[in-house]
Amino acid sequence: MDNLLLSWEEFIKGKRARADVQVFERYLMDNLFNLHGALVTMSYKHGSYESFVISDPKTRHIHKALVCDRILHRAIYRHIYHFFDRIFIHDSYSCRSGKGLHKALNQFTFYARKASNNHHKTVLVLKCDIRKFFASIDQFILLAILGDRIVDKRVVWLLEQVIRSFSTVNPNVGLPLGNLTSQVFSNIYLNELDQFVKHRLRVKHYIRYADDFVIFSQNRELLTQLLTEIQDFLLRMLKLELHPNKVEIQTVASGIDFLGWVHFTDHCVLRTTSKRRMTRHLQTNPSQATIASYRGLLSHGNTDRILRIVDKDKF
């Protein structure tokens, strides 16, 4: 119960005005005791999802669970995140405490300099994107990975209820974009790739952020060979495929488009589509909070001209 109460306190922040949350809160203790009882007796059943589409800027299909289930997701997350985070590699940056987008961008700059001997040698980057990642996660494989790490079978049973509550057009495949647990499940799933790349292929300069990853090397033939081995591993062990139009090997000097920025040898610039999206957002919501958020984003590259426009409200 303590975990459920703490999870409710974390969940409720910023959501008190929502109708479904208000209905749940009206009988809060009854609802939490009922959830607790279902967990103790292992009679818990995950509810249905509300489905909707957002554009941010890519079109994404979001599935929103019931309030009761979302509180449980948070209760699960509070425990398994720390259990698994300690086994993740250093250079996995998505949905992790103390990591994030900005640190991934900084690490890209660091590895580009290190792999090129401080820009004295030409360095190439293998850049990959996993095709339809969340919709392609095999639930049997994910549960096997969890079962190998978690001794308590009751916990595995509970995780299975959450994982099996969702599927795409193919049964037993996919995780919902919208579940807090999907964030940690996705990192657990791709940790298998991270460990393969770092310990089997012995790649030194590797960065992964969600389903995007890059590898640095001075040797094009080596990167081509690594690509083949990674493709084989993903298909054979995780039933995943790389996006055929988003795999490339290029020099840093020619510009590497990674995580919304185009990276060059001595600077990086905001991707054109990101710049247009920022301008549109500022036109519709020119609040100080929005401007401050974008100033933080723009501080990571060569954006003096854009910053002047933002500061002068010329959007």
Side-chain angles (χ1 to χ4, degrees):
M1 274 302 295
D2 289 343
N3 189 24
L4 293 179
L5 285 166
L6 288 170
S7 299
W8 164 257
E9 291 173 5
E10 293 176 4
F11 168 81
I12 193 65
K13 292 176 182 176
K15 302 185 183 73
R16 290 190 182 277
R18 298 178 186 177
D20 57 344
V21 175
Q22 290 176 350
V23 170
F24 189 91
E25 188 174 23
R26 193 174 304 158
Y27 304 100
L28 175 62
M29 293 312 299
D30 287 342
N31 288 327
L32 290 183
F33 274 117
N34 288 337
L35 174 58
H36 181 259
L39 294 172
V40 170
T41 59
M42 297 180 70
S43 59
Y44 167 79
K45 298 291 183 185
H46 197 286
S48 59
Y49 289 91
E50 176 189 349
S51 175
F52 55 93
V53 175
I54 64 170
S55 297
D56 69 334
K58 292 194 298 185
T59 300
R60 299 182 186 276
H61 200 178
I62 304 298
H63 292 83
K64 178 183 172 184
L66 301 176
V67 172
C68 179
D69 297 318
R70 287 151 67 199
I71 293 168
L72 177 62
H73 297 167
R74 186 165 291 275
I76 292 170
Y77 184 88
R78 293 183 73 250
H79 280 276
I80 69 168
Y81 169 80
H82 295 289
F83 178 79
F84 280 97
D85 188 68
R86 61 191 173 84
I87 69 170
F88 294 158
I89 67 167
H90 177 270
D91 285 322
S92 163
Y93 288 90
S94 176
C95 301
R96 295 182 64 193
S97 177
K99 300 288 185 176
L101 178 66
H102 293 163
K103 290 201 173 181
L105 294 172
N106 291 339
Q107 193 71 353
F108 186 102
T109 302
F110 175 74
Y111 277 161
R113 185 172 66 250
K114 191 170 182 180
S116 64
N117 296 338
N118 206 24
H119 303 309
H120 287 97
K121 299 284 186 179
T122 299
V123 66
L124 299 116
V125 176
L126 166 63
K127 185 169 81 80
C128 301
D129 180 294
I130 297 174
R131 184 175 179 271
K132 296 182 179 178
F133 171 54
F134 275 90
S136 301
I137 291 175
D138 186 284
Q139 295 176 1
F140 288 112
I141 295 174
L142 175 58
L143 285 167
I145 295 169
L146 293 168
D148 285 342
R149 293 280 183 178
I150 299 173
V151 175
D152 193 329
K153 299 306 177 187
R154 296 171 302 170
V155 175
V156 177
W157 169 85
L158 179 57
L159 299 182
E160 183 173 4
Q161 304 311 303
V162 175
I163 292 167
R164 295 225 183 277
S165 68
F166 176 83
S167 66
T168 58
V169 290
N170 299 316
N172 304 311
V173 176
L175 290 180
L177 280 169
N179 280 11
L180 179 61
T181 49
S182 294
Q183 296 179 9
V184 68
F185 287 153
S186 64
N187 269 336
I188 292 168
Y189 203 75
L190 283 184
N191 180 60
E192 301 297 305
L193 170 65
D194 297 340
Q195 300 295 336
F196 174 74
V197 170
K198 293 298 292 184
H199 301 299
R200 291 285 298 279
L201 301 182
R202 299 188 178 279
V203 173
K204 289 183 178 180
H205 305 129
Y206 165 83
I207 299 170
R208 182 178 65 79
Y209 188 93
D211 55 358
D212 295 323
F213 61 91
V214 289
I215 296 174
F216 299 77
S217 176
Q218 296 176 15
N219 188 328
R220 182 180 291 273
E221 290 183 2
L222 173 61
L223 290 178
T224 302
Q225 179 185 339
L226 291 174
L227 173 59
T228 300
E229 295 191 53
I230 288 170
Q231 285 176 313
D232 174 70
F233 175 85
L234 285 172
L235 188 60
R236 179 168 45 85
M237 302 302 294
L238 299 176
K239 295 187 179 179
L240 298 175
E241 297 180 1
L242 296 178
H243 197 300
N245 299 328
K246 296 182 179 180
V247 174
E248 58 186 29
I249 299 175
Q250 292 186 358
T251 63
V252 175
S254 65
I256 304 296
D257 189 334
F258 183 60
L259 302 182
W261 293 83
V262 182
H263 303 257
F264 295 92
T265 303
D266 56 357
H267 70 287
C268 62
V269 296
L270 196 63
R271 184 191 294 161
T272 301
T273 53
S274 300
K275 197 184 307 179
R276 289 172 182 164
R277 185 168 71 255
M278 180 190 72
T279 303
R280 286 196 302 269
H281 193 194
L282 286 168
Q283 287 172 340
T284 58
N285 183 26
S287 67
Q288 289 301 311
T290 303
I291 292 172
S293 175
Y294 278 120
R295 281 193 62 84
L297 169 69
L298 295 171
S299 67
H300 290 267
N302 293 60
T303 55
D304 289 347
R305 186 178 63 84
I306 305 174
L307 280 169
R308 285 197 295 272
I309 294 172
V310 169
D311 287 343
K312 293 178 181 178
D313 296 346
K314 293 183 178 180
F315 36 81

